[in-house]
């Protein structure tokens, strides 16, 4: 494998050799950027991260979706950004010559200096800040405005009941929007975002939405552990869908949470912001547990934010019936008995954000998140 024509910390532009290849010319002529990105990786030996860092508003996850055929590039404005960022001549993608192709054109700004590739904070600190990432330029587009509208339903951190655990302050909205605007998921210190709430409150949808726009890692307890949990319950002669009995709550549930957090902290130590989603109903009402988590994050050099999904009882039932999951069978079959075990007004004992996901909420989170995530995937 040949080395990158530029140093590993410089902005990427498509090599002249690749632009002269017939397969690359055909991909660009057909505006098949999925094929073009794959050819860049194959012949210029460049990572998806580095391609994304060279295109305004792109993230590695967006490059991955396009290269994998899950998203297309059709809007002229986006094609222009790709051409300008990677220095692809306009004629090759059906555009007029780009301003930077015209030497000395009046009013044309000089080519911006090459940006440095994003580097995890802990590595930048070890290097004395020599590889600092370029500043974030806030985006002004429909997606950004929609994100602000949705995040407006996040209330400022509020005190929980009983003993209060003060978490270090963090502007979660700003951090999310910075990741979206810059396309740099690792910008600044890593953050652990705990998305919590009762079953059927919309935790998974909200967590996926956050990761969709930021490129942060997502760890969903059910996705990570459900097959293993069901096998363990069967091996113990227990219903594989039982989430109320002592076998699950006393022996298996603690292992699920331990595996999820061990994985999360592996990510954080690598500088990867991570969103974890699970009920956390017991954990977030245990001040001692929250103090331990706070200290563990501090030791890993990570910020921590807790988001609680508020949802009334009727809305929870609607969501559970809608997803029709086997693990919810007992709850729906014995609804009154189940409801008697939960307090819909419960809040974490730590400072936290609250998102109202009730059916009557001013902003319908589920519908808004689905619509916005779809626009993000398609507007590329």
């Amino acid at each position: 494998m040949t080395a990158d024509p530029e140093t590993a910390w410089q902005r990427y532009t498509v090599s002249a050799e690749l632009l002269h290849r017939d397969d690359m010319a055909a991909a660009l002529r057909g505006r098949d950027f999925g094929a073009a990105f794959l050819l860049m990786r194959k012949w210029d030996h460049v990572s998806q991260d580095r391609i994304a860092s060279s295109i305004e508003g792109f993230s590695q996850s967006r490059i991955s979706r396009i290269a994998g055929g899950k998203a297309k590039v059709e809007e002229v404005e986006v094609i222009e950004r790709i051409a300008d960022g990677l220095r692809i001549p306009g004629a090759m993608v059906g555009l007029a010559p780009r301003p930077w192709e015209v030497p000395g054109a009046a009013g044309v700004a000089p080519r911006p200096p090459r940006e440095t590739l994003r580097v995890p904070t802990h590595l930048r600190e070890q290097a004395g800040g020599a590889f600092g990432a370029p500043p974030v330029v806030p985006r002004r587009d429909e997606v950004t405005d929609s994100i602000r509208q949705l995040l407006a339903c996040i209330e400022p951190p509020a005190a929980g009941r009983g003993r209060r655990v003060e978490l270090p302050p963090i502007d979660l909205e700003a951090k999310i929007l910075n990741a979206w605007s810059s396309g740099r998921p690792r910008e600044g210190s890593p953050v652990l975002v705990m998305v919590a709430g009762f079953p059927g409150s919309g935790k998974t949808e909200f967590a996926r939405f956050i990761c969709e726009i930021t490129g942060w890692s997502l760890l969903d307890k059910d996705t990570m552990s459900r097959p293993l949990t069901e096998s363990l319950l069967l091996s113990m002669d227990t219903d594989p869908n039982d989430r109320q009995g002592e076998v699950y709550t006393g022996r298996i549930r603690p292992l699920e949470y331990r595996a999820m957090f061990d994985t999360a902290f592996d990510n954080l130590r690598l500088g990867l912001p991570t969103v974890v989603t699970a009920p956390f109903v017991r954990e977030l009402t245990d001040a001692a547990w929250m103090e331990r988590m706070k200290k563990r994050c501090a030791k890993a050099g990570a910020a921590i934010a807790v988001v609680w999904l508020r949802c009334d009882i009727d809305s929870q039932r609607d969501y559970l019936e809608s997803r029709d999951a086997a693990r919810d069978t007992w709850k729906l079959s014995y609804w009154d008995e189940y409801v008697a075990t939960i307090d819909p007004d419960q809040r974490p004992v730590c400072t936290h954000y609250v998102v109202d996901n009730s059916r009557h909420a001013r902003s319908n989170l589920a519908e808004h998140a689905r619509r916005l995530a779809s626009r993000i995937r398609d507007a590329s």
Side-chain angles (χ1 to χ4, degrees):
M1 179 180 294
T2 59
D4 238 7
E6 300 174 344
T7 67
W9 307 114
Q10 289 180 324
R11 180 175 178 173
Y12 166 68
T13 58
V14 182
S15 67
E17 293 80 7
L18 179 53
L19 289 174
H20 282 88
R21 287 185 58 88
D22 291 341
D23 49 1
M24 184 63 164
L28 294 175
R29 187 166 55 250
R31 295 183 171 180
D32 183 355
F33 289 98
F37 291 152
L38 292 175
L39 289 169
M40 293 174 201
R41 298 203 65 193
K42 180 177 181 180
W43 297 107
D44 278 356
H45 308 290
V46 64
S47 68
Q48 291 181 347
D49 266 339
R50 192 168 169 202
I51 295 172
S53 68
S54 303
I55 306 172
E56 179 188 353
F58 268 60
S59 63
Q60 181 274 329
S61 61
R62 182 178 295 187
I63 296 293
S64 177
R65 290 195 301 274
I66 295 170
K70 297 180 180 179
K72 294 182 179 180
V73 178
E74 296 176 341
E75 295 183 6
V76 173
E77 184 272 335
V78 179
I79 295 172
E80 290 176 342
R81 281 196 280 130
I82 294 174
D84 292 343
L86 302 179
R87 288 302 188 263
I88 299 171
M92 296 192 73
V93 289
L95 300 174
R98 306 304 300 152
W100 49 266
E101 295 183 71
V102 184
V108 175
R111 180 174 175 176
R114 296 188 182 277
E115 297 178 0
T116 55
L117 185 69
R118 61 176 176 267
V119 185
T121 301
H122 65 285
L123 293 182
R124 291 205 302 269
E125 291 173 349
Q126 291 177 15
F131 301 120
V136 175
V137 178
R139 297 181 63 174
R140 299 300 306 172
D141 56 20
E142 181 183 2
V143 173
T144 300
D145 292 341
S146 296
I147 292 171
R148 290 185 183 278
Q149 180 183 348
L150 181 60
L151 295 184
C153 67
I154 300 182
E155 300 174 0
R161 298 177 180 179
R163 179 185 168 190
R164 175 173 174 165
V165 178
E166 289 286 351
L167 298 180
I170 174 176
D171 189 340
L172 184 60
E173 176 180 321
K175 200 165 184 66
I176 290 170
L177 288 173
N178 282 350
W180 162 244
S181 297
S182 68
R184 296 194 295 266
R186 298 192 190 191
E187 185 72 13
S189 60
V191 59
L192 175 68
V193 181
M194 297 174 59
V195 179
F198 290 108
S201 59
K203 301 181 299 297
T204 298
E205 192 139 37
F206 182 77
R208 287 176 178 169
F209 164 72
I210 293 300
C211 293
E212 181 82 39
I213 63 179
T214 59
W216 296 348
S217 297
L218 170 64
L219 299 179
D220 184 314
K221 180 183 74 67
D222 287 335
T223 302
M224 291 184 66
S225 60
R226 185 185 304 153
L228 182 58
T229 294
E230 292 175 354
S231 296
L232 285 171
L233 288 169
L234 281 172
S235 70
M236 298 176 183
D237 296 323
T238 304
D239 182 346
N241 298 313
D242 179 14
R243 299 297 186 272
Q244 314 300 134
E246 176 59 30
V247 172
Y248 172 76
T249 58
R251 300 176 62 181
I252 297 178
R253 185 179 183 278
L255 299 178
E256 290 181 329
Y257 279 72
R258 177 178 175 181
M260 181 173 62
F261 278 110
D262 285 350
T263 304
F265 278 94
D266 279 346
N267 285 348
L268 295 172
R269 281 188 285 270
L270 293 173
L272 295 169
T274 301
V275 178
V276 295
T277 178
F280 297 120
V281 174
R282 296 183 184 180
E283 288 73 14
L284 294 181
T285 56
D286 184 340
W289 187 92
M290 278 308 308
E291 286 286 2
R292 291 194 298 271
M293 185 58 59
K294 175 182 173 181
K295 292 178 181 177
R296 190 175 180 184
C297 284
K299 186 176 181 181
I304 180 173
V306 172
V307 180
W308 180 264
L309 272 292
R310 177 172 59 206
C311 190
D312 62 74
I313 293 295
D314 290 338
S315 297
Q316 287 182 44
R317 180 162 190 167
D318 287 345
Y319 289 134
L320 291 178
E321 290 177 341
S322 177
R323 76 184 185 188
D324 193 26
R327 63 186 183 280
D328 298 326
T329 301
W330 184 89
K331 300 183 188 73
L332 293 172
S333 299
Y334 301 92
W335 185 250
D336 291 339
E337 184 177 342
Y338 166 68
V339 168
T341 67
I342 66 174
D343 176 6
D345 295 323
Q346 178 177 312
R347 296 291 181 272
V349 296
C350 61
T351 51
H352 61 280
Y353 293 85
V354 176
V355 174
D356 188 355
N357 196 29
S358 300
R359 293 292 191 194
H360 57 72
R362 180 178 57 184
S363 177
N364 188 302
L365 169 64
E367 179 182 346
H368 199 157
R370 278 195 298 269
R371 185 170 61 251
L372 182 54
S374 177
R375 282 209 302 273
I376 293 168
R377 285 192 294 270
D378 296 340
S380 49

